[in-house]
Amino acid sequence: MGTDVVPIGNHTIKFSDRGFHEIADEIIERLRSVRYNAYSQEINFNYQYEDEYYSFQEDTCIYIIGKDYNDQLFRIEEFKVRYCIGFRYHHWCVPSTQEAVEARNRWRMYLGQVERALGGDRVIYLADNAHHLEKFAELEIPFPEIEAELLNTYGLPCVSLEEAYEKGYAQGGYQGGYFIDYFH
């Protein structure tokens, strides 16, 4: 069992006083401009329809899936976006080959496009599976409050993913490495 990277982003989608279909349709419309790679590969976004297992009223989030392959791509909650990208934390922060660096850079470009389409401007790379950053990934609070919790707990963010990883696994224990990506 490994540790996955858990990107959490911000957005400006209004949830209050709106129904599921109104919010979901706005999200899909905003995502029309997003492309996965340099070849302008279009992604056919869709949302998970409500059924006996999923209810917007109970879950208070909208799951966005790739229409062509039914994988959950991300979950939009009222105050944040949680992405599902399928990278291990170590391989995301410290890619071992040039090909891995290029794959990470393509994903960062894609995440930046989605963030801008949803009105956001940054992503925090957290982790799961008993990693020190997992508690922040699981917080049910707005994105700015997660940032504030990280700042209060660990100080300023690192300037690179590599630095965040090094601080996270430094000799002598965890020293608070985390990275906020502004996609510059």
Side-chain angles (χ1 to χ4, degrees):
M1 187 159 60
T3 300
D4 289 336
V5 64
V6 180
I8 303 287
N10 62 342
H11 69 79
T12 60
I13 305 289
K14 182 182 177 231
F15 271 58
S16 61
D17 301 323
R18 298 175 75 199
F20 171 77
H21 289 286
E22 184 180 3
I23 298 167
D25 290 343
E26 177 186 343
I27 291 166
I28 297 303
E29 183 61 34
R30 286 183 179 212
L31 291 173
R32 286 189 192 277
S33 65
V34 173
R35 301 291 182 265
Y36 175 67
N37 60 28
Y39 306 110
S40 296
Q41 178 181 348
E42 185 173 341
I43 300 172
N44 294 313
F45 291 105
N46 204 349
Y47 50 84
Q48 179 176 334
Y49 293 94
E50 293 184 285
D51 58 24
E52 69 239 39
Y53 304 106
Y54 164 67
S55 164
F56 177 68
Q57 294 301 321
E58 291 177 23
D59 297 328
T60 63
C61 66
I62 294 178
Y63 294 98
I64 302 299
I65 58 176
K67 196 184 242 180
D68 297 330
Y69 44 91
N70 268 347
D71 287 335
Q72 179 187 328
L73 301 175
F74 45 95
R75 176 178 81 205
I76 301 177
E77 301 172 15
E78 186 170 7
F79 299 109
K80 66 182 180 242
V81 183
R82 182 180 174 126
Y83 296 95
C84 303
I85 62 172
F87 274 83
R88 296 289 191 210
Y89 188 77
H90 170 79
H91 297 291
W92 182 258
C93 294
V94 188
S96 58
T97 65
Q98 184 58 35
E99 184 179 55
V101 170
E102 291 168 5
R104 179 185 72 183
N105 289 342
R106 278 193 306 274
W107 268 99
R108 285 186 61 230
M109 183 183 78
Y110 166 70
L111 291 174
Q113 287 182 62
V114 171
E115 276 297 300
R116 287 185 291 281
L118 298 176
D121 65 352
R122 61 196 180 280
V123 165
I124 304 170
Y125 298 109
L126 302 173
D128 69 0
N129 204 11
H131 188 279
H132 292 88
L133 294 174
E134 179 180 29
K135 67 182 176 184
F136 299 98
E138 300 304 323
L139 290 174
E140 296 295 326
I141 59 177
F143 184 88
E145 292 178 28
I146 294 171
E147 285 181 304
E149 288 287 328
L150 282 162
L151 182 63
N152 289 336
T153 304
Y154 298 123
L156 294 173
C158 295
V159 297
S160 70
L161 286 161
E162 292 80 8
E163 180 189 1
Y165 183 80
E166 290 301 319
K167 278 190 168 184
Y169 292 96
Q171 287 184 322
Y174 189 75
Q175 297 179 14
Y178 69 98
F179 178 68
I180 299 176
D181 197 341
Y182 288 88
F183 308 106
H184 298 281

